[in-house]
Amino acid sequence: MNKNKIYLWFVPINSQLKPISFQEIKWKKNMSHSRSFQYEHSRGYVRQALSEVLEIPPLDIPIISPPGLPPKLPSDMGYLSFSHCREGLLIGWSLKNIGVDIESAGRFFESKKISNKFFGYNEKK
């Protein structure tokens, strides 16, 4: 595996759900219907995507992903980030720290304010 590679996946929101762990099933039972769907959709596809890269069965991927918190992997398995929009899910994985974000094309937001808040000079450059 190339240590400098970054993997990105986009999963449409209407994609068939994938299996999630027993703990994730327990967590999603305490959520609203829409939040529960989003949680199951994201965790199932994160597991599926990482399975391809790490060559581990999806349900054996040791993701720690309580609702509302960033997902974590053991330190030797890289870094994971994902973001939702109305159309789907963006998943990013790398051996180095990574952060991804996705916005719907029709959503208005002031990108300059966001970049000033979150990015340093070199990142903006």
Side-chain angles (χ1 to χ4, degrees), residues 8-11 81-85 88-92 100-102:
L8 298 172
W9 298 265
F10 178 78
V11 182
S81 179
F82 55 87
S83 178
H84 308 271
C85 70
L89 169 69
L90 176 64
I91 303 167
V100 299
D101 189 29
I102 189 168

Side-chain angles (χ1 to χ4, degrees), residues 1-3 5 7 9 46-47 49-64 71-81 92-98:
M1 177 182 329
N2 184 331
K3 290 187 177 202
K5 277 194 174 181
Y7 292 82
W9 298 265
V46 163
R47 289 179 172 287
L50 291 180
S51 176
E52 296 168 13
V53 174
L54 301 174
E55 299 176 347
I56 300 172
L59 291 175
D60 290 344
I61 304 286
I63 302 169
I64 301 168
K72 291 188 177 183
L73 292 166
S75 60
D76 63 333
M77 295 185 84
Y79 295 89
L80 174 64
S81 179
W93 177 88
S94 175
L95 286 174
K96 297 178 181 178
N97 203 0
I98 186 171

Side-chain angles (χ1 to χ4, degrees), residues 103-121:
E103 297 292 341
S104 297
R107 181 174 176 220
F108 175 78
F109 62 96
E110 295 188 45
S111 59
K112 194 161 198 124
K113 283 185 178 179
I114 292 173
S115 68
N116 287 336
K117 181 176 181 178
F118 292 106
F119 299 126
Y121 174 79

